[in-house]
């Protein structure tokens, strides 16, 4: 990760970024995030990421009304410039800094925090090995299709694949239909046609997935 981050609308050293220990983020992973590719210092598909962040925030009960798309983009670009990122990626995270009824027995006012981090892109590989993950996806889960900060299932699935000697794994839903990789959307070709899982499978509505669907003829498998 790079030296500077955005926390609560300010660019500060990552070493000084502090979040209170007792929050719904730390206790339960209540938050959402999106990772944006940076090419030549410019965020890729920012508006699509912002649209998904707002959609996911509504699903998990985070109020983003105090955050403005233009101001968020300015913060993101400011961090990219401060960290001198030409080719890399940024993660935007909105999280619940409040402490609710489950922990302390009383409601507290919702307080939404913002964290933006940047880092270099991982080296691209020409070939990867994949297997079938033993961790299924529940398409009926309230978090189905949400990129939440509670990403433990994805992490366990990825670590399981790596422990078995594979780079990635395909996760299957409760109906036996392929949904995604552990950390990415998937596409495949058959008889010259391009396919990808449909959203009803429980897969994430990835921004790059949406971009490809808008530029190519793709058949969605439900």
């Amino acid at each position: 990760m790079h030296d500077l981050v955005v926390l609560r609308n300010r660019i500060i050293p990552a070493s000084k970024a502090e979040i209170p220990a007792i929050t719904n983020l730390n206790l339960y992973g209540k938050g959402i995030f999106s990772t944006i590719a940076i090419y030549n210092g410019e965020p890729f598909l920012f508006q699509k990421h912002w649209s998904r962040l707002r959609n996911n925030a509504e699903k998990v009960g985070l109020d983003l009304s105090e955050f403005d798309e233009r101001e968020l983009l300015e913060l993101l670009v400011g961090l990219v410039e401060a960290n001198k990122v030409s080719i890399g990626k940024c993660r935007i995270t909105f999280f619940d800094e409040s402490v609710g009824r489950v922990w302390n027995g009383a409601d507290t006012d919702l307080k939404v925090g913002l964290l933006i981090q940047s880092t270099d892109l991982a080296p691209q590989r020409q070939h990867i090995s994949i297997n079938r993950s033993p961790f299924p996806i529940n398409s009926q889960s309230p978090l189905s299709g949400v990129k939440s900060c509670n990403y433990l299932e994805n992490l366990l699935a990825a670590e399981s694949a790596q422990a078995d000697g594979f780079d990635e794994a395909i996760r299957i839903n409760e109906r036996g239909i392929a949904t995604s990789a552990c950390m990415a959307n998937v596409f495949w070709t058959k008889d010259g046609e391009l396919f990808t899982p449909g959203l009803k499978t429980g897969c994430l509505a990835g921004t790059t997935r949406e971009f490809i669907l808008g530029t190519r003829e793709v058949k969605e498998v439900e």
Side-chain angles (χ1 to χ4, degrees):
M1 190 175 74
H2 297 147
D3 293 336
L4 300 173
V5 301
V6 170
L7 181 63
R8 305 183 189 91
N9 301 333
R10 293 195 305 121
I11 296 178
I12 62 174
S15 60
K16 295 184 178 180
E18 297 181 352
I19 297 173
I22 309 301
T23 66
N24 281 335
L25 170 68
N26 292 328
L27 291 172
Y28 312 112
K30 187 177 180 181
I32 56 168
F33 73 95
S34 194
T35 303
I36 302 179
I38 306 297
Y39 299 120
N40 298 318
E42 296 291 335
F44 183 61
L45 301 177
F46 173 79
Q47 289 183 328
K48 292 184 182 297
H49 284 278
W50 171 240
S51 177
R52 187 179 67 189
L53 283 165
R54 288 190 303 168
N55 178 271
N56 285 184
E58 183 177 353
K59 288 184 178 181
V60 302
L62 291 178
D63 183 3
L64 300 190
S65 60
E66 294 185 5
F67 297 92
D68 176 81
E69 177 182 355
R70 179 183 58 80
E71 293 176 351
L72 180 63
L73 179 59
E74 289 177 355
L75 286 170
L76 175 62
V77 171
L79 182 67
V80 167
E81 293 175 349
N83 281 328
K84 300 179 180 178
V85 184
S86 177
I87 304 295
K89 59 184 178 181
C90 287
R91 169 172 161 152
I92 299 176
T93 305
F94 289 105
F95 55 93
D96 187 350
E97 285 196 272
S98 58
V99 184
R101 181 181 296 275
V102 175
W103 177 256
N104 67 0
D107 288 327
T108 55
D109 292 335
L110 177 65
K111 183 180 180 183
V112 179
L114 167 66
L115 174 66
I116 309 177
Q117 305 152 278
S118 68
T119 191
D120 299 324
L121 284 179
Q124 299 298 304
R125 290 174 289 183
Q126 293 298 316
H127 303 282
I128 63 171
S129 57
I130 60 174
N131 69 347
R132 174 171 171 165
S133 175
F135 295 86
I137 284 180
N138 177 11
S139 65
Q140 301 304 308
S141 166
L143 290 180
S144 176
V146 174
K147 202 163 187 176
S148 80
C149 292
N150 190 341
Y151 229 51
L152 185 56
E153 277 195 9
N154 301 70
L155 182 61
L156 291 175
E159 290 178 344
S160 174
Q162 293 160 10
D164 289 339
F166 295 89
D167 298 305
E168 253 285 10
I170 301 299
R171 298 185 68 190
I172 310 300
N173 69 12
E174 75 280 3
R175 294 183 285 117
I177 299 176
T179 61
S180 66
C182 304
M183 297 290 180
N185 289 119
V186 293
F187 291 81
W188 66 92
T189 59
K190 182 179 180 180
D191 299 329
E193 294 183 306
L194 185 62
F195 297 85
T196 193
L199 296 182
K200 291 181 180 179
T201 65
C203 76
L204 181 74
T207 52
T208 301
R209 175 188 182 278
E210 182 183 348
F211 175 75
I212 294 174
L213 289 175
T215 57
R216 296 280 303 276
E217 184 175 345
V218 183
K219 291 189 175 181
E220 296 182 77
V221 178
E222 303 286 3

